[in-house]
Amino acid sequence: MEPGLWEVTSRIEVPDSPVQEASQTLRHCYTAEELQDPRNLIPRVPQECRLIGFRFVGNRATWSVECDGPRPMVGGGEMTLGKLAYASNLWSEVQDGGRTLRVTQRVRARRLGECMPEEAPPER
């Protein structure tokens, strides 16, 4: 992937819930440093969760997630990376009040161009 300004669109589907789908588009300025590790492209894993089985082969990443706590969850995902675009599909099964909710998330991203100074992440 090339560093720069990326537009990331995420669509979440939860068939058996009051809000069955939602989508969000945001822009993110990826630095060369961030892109050295493809784990930086997957959604952050909450503290009570463990990222397991992360594999990156060629341009494809796969992983699994397990979470403990009051709403246990299992899930996973796959991502295909390109120089100017990437796509990922994630799934999870969340225990909620004696029922299992199946959540799917589809992420599509494309590089828009160079980052503008106001879009660059803060210096560390």
Side-chain angles (χ1 to χ4, degrees):
M1 287 179 55
E2 287 189 13
L5 181 62
W6 286 70
E7 181 178 74
V8 182
T9 300
S10 175
R11 182 176 174 198
I12 297 175
E13 298 174 359
V14 188
D16 297 326
S17 74
V19 179
Q20 294 187 1
E21 80 177 53
S23 64
Q24 175 183 27
T25 299
L26 57 90
R27 291 182 175 189
H28 181 76
C29 183
Y30 283 110
T31 65
E33 181 180 276
E34 274 181 295
L35 296 177
Q36 288 180 6
D37 186 349
R39 285 177 283 212
N40 291 327
L41 300 172
I42 64 176
R44 301 278 184 239
V45 177
Q47 186 175 3
E48 66 274 8
C49 301
R50 295 172 302 288
L51 180 64
I52 53 176
F54 184 86
R55 294 190 57 198
F56 188 61
V57 178
N59 69 335
R60 188 165 181 263
T62 57
W63 64 91
S64 297
V65 176
E66 291 181 355
C67 303
D68 299 323
R71 295 179 69 192
M73 181 196 80
V74 295
E78 63 182 2
M79 174 183 290
T80 303
L81 302 166
K83 189 173 183 178
L84 302 175
Y86 70 83
S88 62
N89 295 307
L90 302 91
W91 65 271
S92 60
E93 292 181 351
V94 181
Q95 301 302 314
D96 182 43
R99 64 185 182 140
T100 301
L101 292 178
R102 183 160 177 87
V103 180
T104 58
Q105 180 179 8
R106 296 177 198 337
V107 178
R108 303 296 179 261
R110 64 187 178 110
R111 187 177 187 276
L112 299 176
E114 298 301 319
C115 296
M116 300 300 289
E118 64 273 9
E119 296 164 328
E123 296 282 327
R124 290 184 186 178

